[in-house]
Amino acid sequence: MRSFSSATGGNVSVLFALAAIVILGAAGLGLDFALWNKERTELQQAADAGATAGAVELGRGGRNASARAQTRALALGTVNRSGPTASAVSSVVVDTAAQTVTVAYTMPGRRSLSAVLVKSDPTIIVASTAKVVNRVVACIYALNPSAPKSMFGNGSAVLQGTNCAIQVNSADAVALDNSGTIDATHICVVGGYSGSGYTPSPQAGCPVADDPFAATIIPAAGACTQTNLAISSTRSLSPGVYCGGVSITSGAVVTLNPGLYHIVNGPLKVAGGASLRGDGVAFILSGTASLDIAGTGEVITSPPASGDLTGFSIVQDRAAPLGGASKISGEGHFEFPGIIYMPRQNLEIRGRAAGNTYVPIYAAVVADKIIVAGQGELRVTADTSVFSKKDASKLTVVNVALIK
């Protein structure tokens, strides 16, 4: 009886088993906590993205703005969730008076070995609120989402947005770089910037702005009207499809009849003192087509006042390959007062003679990347009188901020 009462082996085994359970539970709790934290971070990022997108949509205003904001917030939140977080329960609150959108997510945290110590699944809760800060009319867009120096100025170059803003969509750390002069009502960069000569200082970390003319209907080219057209003497041209491009040189004076001029797989080149004039004219660049204006000539056109391309001076077919460049590098008189829309191409403006006091002014410029170098000058004013009210509204960029 005495030996039985003094035996301790069984007690030790029981204590060891209890300790093992606690140790495993603690280890499991640590692993589960790391998982819960990871899921919470992913949900927070989704809530931030959804709230920001919803606020941008709310800021655009118009019919059903609140419903559109809610739909947009839910869609962006869904895109940014995967795996277990995809099943989180979402809620969106749109406050039109306060101009805010709040996105919240809840989901249970999954237990594994921590179930030994934790009796029920914890609840992961996150929320994010974004507020509309302001609305600005942006008239200069560099659309490339990731390129370094997607907007670049140097030397004595001038890039100016008169009564309108500049938008740079690249998320690169140096998306915008300048040593010349860049002046606008607002300069917004998704990524970062470097250099000097800015008025005002750029705002980094801005939301991506949609291509304002992504829904614009661009007429198809059709069959070739002429191929590899070279002009060296005075004549007129009619609307049509010019395959292989058009070259105007040797002081030729070319008058364009009103309409659409499709330039396919070749440049529209004006050089050597040539002159190109026309009213109610739009150029459509397809394939590898580009703009190449050099020399001491002049190009003076006005955009169509009706039709799908009302207000557009130059547009690029969205099926065109990404890359390439359109260049204005001459010393002459160049005037395209409408919209310049090149979403798949760089726009490079690289100089004009010191004696040429004329600087062309455009209604809006949208390109993949924008380079203004040397003595180049690009001045844009959002003159909505040259294009439709519908297109004018597309130039409004909404700036939002996360407030909690």
Side-chain angles (χ1 to χ4, degrees):
M1 186 72 177
R2 182 179 299 171
S3 62
F4 177 79
S5 63
S6 63
T8 60
N11 292 335
V12 170
S13 298
V14 170
L15 290 174
F16 181 79
L18 292 173
I21 290 172
V22 172
I23 292 169
L24 288 173
L29 183 61
L31 292 173
D32 285 350
F33 184 82
L35 177 62
W36 299 334
N37 189 57
K38 177 178 179 295
E39 291 173 343
R40 186 186 186 285
T41 299
E42 184 174 326
L43 283 178
Q44 188 64 61
Q45 291 172 344
D48 290 348
T52 299
V56 168
E57 194 64 41
L58 179 64
R60 289 185 175 132
R63 182 179 299 178
N64 300 322
S66 179
R68 295 196 330 264
Q70 185 173 43
T71 299
R72 183 70 170 159
L74 287 171
L76 262 291
T78 299
V79 167
N80 285 276
R81 289 181 291 133
S82 61
T85 60
S87 62
V89 177
S90 61
S91 68
V92 178
V93 177
V94 179
D95 188 333
T96 54
Q99 289 287 278
T100 61
V101 175
T102 299
V103 176
Y105 290 107
T106 61
M107 66 172 287
R110 297 170 299 161
R111 294 173 298 155
S112 58
L113 293 176
S114 66
V116 174
L117 301 179
V118 180
K119 294 184 177 180
S120 61
D121 291 339
T123 301
I124 300 172
I125 303 173
V126 302
S128 183
T129 298
K131 180 178 179 61
V132 177
V133 177
N134 60 27
R135 302 172 181 82
V136 297
V137 174
C139 58
I140 303 173
Y141 292 75
L143 296 178
N144 192 291
S146 59
K149 299 184 180 181
S150 66
M151 183 174 287
F152 175 71
N154 72 0
S156 59
V158 176
L159 177 59
Q160 183 178 55
T162 302
N163 298 322
C164 58
I166 293 172
Q167 174 73 29
V168 182
N169 272 355
S170 173
D172 189 82
V174 188
L176 169 63
D177 184 47
N178 179 59
S179 60
T181 297
I182 295 182
D183 185 357
T185 58
H186 191 72
I187 305 170
C188 218
V189 188
V190 173
Y193 67 92
S194 65
S196 59
Y198 300 105
T199 305
S201 295
Q203 177 185 344
C206 291
V208 173
D210 294 336
D211 177 347
F213 304 121
T216 298
I217 297 173
I218 300 176
C224 298
T225 303
Q226 297 199 52
T227 302
N228 299 326
L229 180 62
I231 301 173
S232 58
S233 60
T234 298
R235 61 171 292 183
S236 63
L237 286 180
S238 295
V241 180
Y242 294 83
C243 296
V246 178
S247 176
I248 307 171
T249 58
S250 304
V253 177
V254 177
T255 302
L256 301 174
N257 294 316
L260 305 183
Y261 290 77
H262 294 264
I263 312 298
V264 181
N265 292 328
L268 171 60
K269 183 173 183 178
V270 182
S275 176
L276 180 63
R277 294 172 173 266
D279 290 321
V281 168
F283 297 103
I284 302 173
L285 308 179
S286 297
T288 58
S290 62
L291 184 68
D292 184 1
I293 301 177
T296 57
E298 65 178 11
V299 179
I300 305 174
T301 68
S302 64
S306 62
D308 292 333
L309 296 183
T310 297
F312 286 84
S313 288
I314 302 172
V315 300
Q316 185 187 24
D317 180 0
R318 296 186 197 89
L322 185 64
S326 281
K327 302 177 181 179
I328 300 177
S329 58
E331 301 172 355
H333 182 157
F334 308 122
E335 184 174 354
F336 294 103
I339 300 167
I340 309 299
Y341 179 56
M342 301 175 176
R344 308 282 294 172
Q345 201 171 89
N346 299 350
L347 175 62
E348 301 179 9
I349 299 180
R350 293 188 176 274
R352 64 184 182 90
N356 175 17
T357 59
Y358 178 81
V359 178
I361 295 178
Y362 307 92
V365 172
V366 179
D368 185 57
K369 293 188 282 188
I370 297 175
I371 299 168
V372 185
Q375 292 182 310
E377 297 190 17
L378 175 60
R379 300 179 190 267
V380 182
T381 181
D383 182 2
T384 57
S385 66
V386 302
F387 50 96
S388 69
K389 290 182 180 180
K390 183 178 179 181
D391 284 324
S393 67
K394 295 173 183 176
L395 294 175
T396 298
V397 172
V398 180
N399 291 316
V400 303
L402 291 171
I403 59 175
K404 65 179 180 179

